[in-house]
Amino acid sequence: MARALADIPLMYEPGTEYLYSISLDVLGLVIQRASGMSFPDFVQRRLFNPIGMDDTVWRLRGAGDRRRFAALYNYADGGRQVVDPVAETAYAEPVTLFAGGAGLVSSTRDYLAFLTTILDDGRAGRVRVMTPETARLIRSDILPEGVNPENGAFRFGFGGGVGLPDGDTPGEFGWGGAAGTQGWLDPVRRTAGTIMLQQFGQSAPVAGDVRAAIAADIAASS
């Protein structure tokens, strides 16, 4: 894949514009070359095992995983259609491309543990999986000055958006999936949250309610 991409002209000179792309997928190959391990081995040994992300896999492991796997629905045109039936899901098939930016199956608990590790400066309980400097860099704005994302609502760190200093959530780091999954961490309020949805074609603005509930809990505890 990387060789094929190298034959395609760049849209912009590096460092002059930002475009959301498959750069994270290619980063999986960079990690392989830099670490001397396959990408799936690297994330398993350096992240999943020490953090305790037992539900995060590249492929469903059997009937137990299938029973817990959520189907994906499309609510377009006022109906409801199953897009990815559990019995036929591609996530049970052998993986042929271990991309850096997509492909994993996970759980709410595991995703929250991952976000909390970055929030806690690279520490998962008593285990450190990265240096504090690395964790802070991941959730920091890394775009060059004068380079702005196409939507302008936030800037970017390593693998996620970063809230604007004058926005509603300054310094917040996180990202949302195409089918409704959301995950974020707030280094100012020291909180992290995740919402797991599996749907297309319908607005489901539950994030505002969840954030309001978290804010109410913080206010009550303080």
Side-chain angles (χ1 to χ4, degrees):
M1 186 189 76
R3 291 192 189 97
L5 290 173
D7 292 331
I8 302 174
L10 295 176
M11 293 187 68
Y12 307 107
E13 287 296 317
T16 63
E17 295 285 347
Y18 176 85
L19 183 68
Y20 183 59
S21 67
I22 59 170
S23 57
L24 289 178
D25 297 323
V26 177
L27 188 58
L29 178 60
V30 175
I31 292 173
Q32 282 194 168
R33 298 288 175 83
S35 67
M37 292 184 277
S38 70
F39 181 60
D41 284 347
F42 179 88
V43 294
Q44 190 69 49
R45 293 165 57 181
R46 297 290 296 272
L47 294 173
F48 301 162
N49 287 345
I51 295 175
M53 298 171 64
D54 300 330
D55 285 332
T56 304
V57 293
W58 295 94
R59 179 187 182 188
L60 297 180
R61 293 163 292 194
D65 282 356
R66 280 185 181 272
R67 283 194 296 268
R68 301 169 57 212
F69 188 69
L72 173 61
Y73 295 93
N74 190 336
Y75 290 89
D77 301 323
R80 187 179 78 164
Q81 177 184 4
V82 179
V83 179
D84 185 29
V86 174
E88 303 171 9
T89 178
Y91 286 102
E93 300 299 325
V95 180
T96 57
L97 174 64
F98 294 95
L104 287 168
V105 176
S106 191
S107 65
T108 306
R109 182 189 62 185
D110 276 17
Y111 196 18
L112 187 60
F114 175 73
L115 292 169
T116 303
T117 298
I118 300 177
L119 177 65
D120 288 342
D121 291 340
R123 183 177 292 278
R126 296 183 178 181
V127 180
R128 178 167 295 283
V129 301
M130 65 185 77
T131 66
E133 293 77 13
T134 298
R136 293 167 192 159
L137 182 61
I138 288 172
R139 63 180 196 243
S140 299
D141 175 15
I142 62 169
L143 292 184
E145 186 175 354
V147 174
N148 298 305
E150 57 267 33
N151 59 22
F154 47 81
R155 291 175 64 81
F156 274 86
F158 282 100
V162 179
L164 300 175
D166 56 351
D168 295 333
T169 55
E172 183 179 284
F173 174 79
W175 198 241
T181 299
Q182 296 187 43
W184 70 91
L185 61 88
D186 186 338
V188 177
R189 298 179 178 85
R190 299 293 302 162
T191 58
T194 182
I195 299 171
M196 293 291 189
L197 299 178
Q198 293 289 279
Q199 55 85 34
F200 291 130
Q202 184 184 61
S203 176
V206 298
D209 293 339
V210 172
R211 289 172 178 270
I214 293 174
D217 281 349
I218 294 174
S221 64
S222 60

Coordinates of all heavy atoms in Angstrom, one line a residue, residues 13 18 31 46 59 67 70 79 121 140 170 175 200-201 211:
E13 N 2.5 20.9 -0.6 CA 3.9 20.7 -0.1 C 3.8 20.5 1.4 O 3.0 21.1 2.1 CB 4.7 22.0 -0.4 CG 5.1 22.2 -1.8 CD 6.0 21.1 -2.3 OE1 6.9 20.8 -1.6 OE2 5.8 20.6 -3.4
Y18 N -3.0 21.3 5.8 CA -3.4 20.1 6.5 C -4.6 19.5 5.8 O -5.6 20.2 5.5 CB -3.8 20.3 8.0 CG -4.3 19.1 8.7 CD1 -3.3 18.2 9.2 CD2 -5.6 18.7 8.7 CE1 -3.8 17.0 9.8 CE2 -6.0 17.5 9.3 CZ -5.1 16.7 9.8 OH -5.5 15.5 10.4
I31 N 6.1 2.6 12.3 CA 6.4 2.0 13.6 C 7.0 0.6 13.4 O 7.9 0.2 14.2 CB 5.0 1.9 14.4 CG1 4.6 3.3 14.7 CG2 5.2 1.0 15.6 CD1 3.2 3.3 15.3
R46 N 3.5 -3.3 23.7 CA 3.8 -2.0 24.3 C 2.6 -1.3 24.8 O 2.7 -0.4 25.7 CB 4.5 -1.1 23.2 CG 5.8 -1.7 22.7 CD 6.9 -1.6 23.8 NE 7.2 -0.2 24.1 CZ 8.1 0.5 23.5 NH1 8.8 0.0 22.5 NH2 8.3 1.8 23.9
R59 N -9.2 -9.2 15.3 CA -10.2 -10.2 14.7 C -11.0 -10.8 15.9 O -10.4 -11.2 16.9 CB -9.5 -11.2 13.9 CG -10.3 -12.3 13.3 CD -9.4 -13.4 12.7 NE -10.2 -14.4 12.0 CZ -9.7 -15.5 11.5 NH1 -8.4 -15.7 11.6 NH2 -10.5 -16.4 11.0
R67 N -20.8 -13.0 20.6 CA -22.0 -12.7 21.4 C -22.0 -11.2 22.0 O -23.0 -10.7 22.2 CB -22.1 -13.7 22.6 CG -22.6 -15.1 22.2 CD -22.9 -15.9 23.5 NE -21.8 -16.1 24.3 CZ -21.0 -17.2 24.2 NH1 -21.3 -18.1 23.2 NH2 -20.0 -17.4 25.0
A70 N -21.3 -5.7 18.7 CA -22.4 -4.9 18.4 C -22.6 -4.8 16.8 O -21.7 -4.6 16.1 CB -22.3 -3.5 18.9
G79 N -35.8 4.3 8.0 CA -35.8 2.9 8.4 C -34.7 2.5 9.2 O -33.9 3.3 9.7
D121 N -0.4 10.9 31.7 CA 1.0 11.1 31.3 C 1.7 9.7 31.0 O 2.9 9.6 31.3 CB 1.8 11.9 32.2 CG 1.3 13.4 32.3 OD1 0.7 13.8 31.3 OD2 1.6 14.1 33.3
S140 N -1.0 17.3 22.3 CA -0.7 18.7 22.1 C -1.0 19.0 20.6 O -0.9 18.2 19.7 CB 0.7 19.0 22.5 OG 1.0 18.7 23.8
P170 N -10.9 24.0 25.6 CA -9.5 24.3 25.3 C -8.6 23.1 25.8 O -8.8 22.7 26.9 CB -9.2 25.6 26.1 CG -10.3 25.6 27.1 CD -11.5 25.0 26.5
W175 N -11.2 12.1 19.5 CA -11.7 11.8 18.1 C -13.0 11.1 18.1 O -13.4 10.5 19.1 CB -10.6 11.0 17.4 CG -10.8 11.1 15.9 CD1 -11.0 10.1 15.0 CD2 -10.7 12.3 15.1 NE1 -11.1 10.6 13.7 CE2 -10.9 12.0 13.8 CE3 -10.5 13.7 15.4 CZ2 -10.9 12.9 12.7 CZ3 -10.5 14.6 14.4 CH2 -10.7 14.2 13.1
F200 N -25.3 4.7 11.4 CA -25.2 5.7 10.3 C -26.6 6.3 10.0 O -27.6 5.7 10.4 CB -24.7 5.0 9.0 CG -23.3 4.6 9.0 CD1 -22.9 3.3 8.6 CD2 -22.3 5.4 9.5 CE1 -21.6 2.9 8.6 CE2 -20.9 5.0 9.5 CZ -20.6 3.7 9.1
G201 N -26.6 7.4 9.4 CA -27.8 8.0 8.8 C -28.7 8.6 9.7 O -29.9 8.9 9.3
R211 N -21.7 14.9 28.5 CA -20.7 15.9 29.0 C -21.4 16.7 30.1 O -20.7 17.1 31.1 CB -20.3 16.8 27.9 CG -19.3 16.1 26.9 CD -19.1 17.0 25.7 NE -18.2 16.4 24.7 CZ -16.9 16.6 24.8 NH1 -16.3 17.4 25.7 NH2 -16.1 16.0 23.9

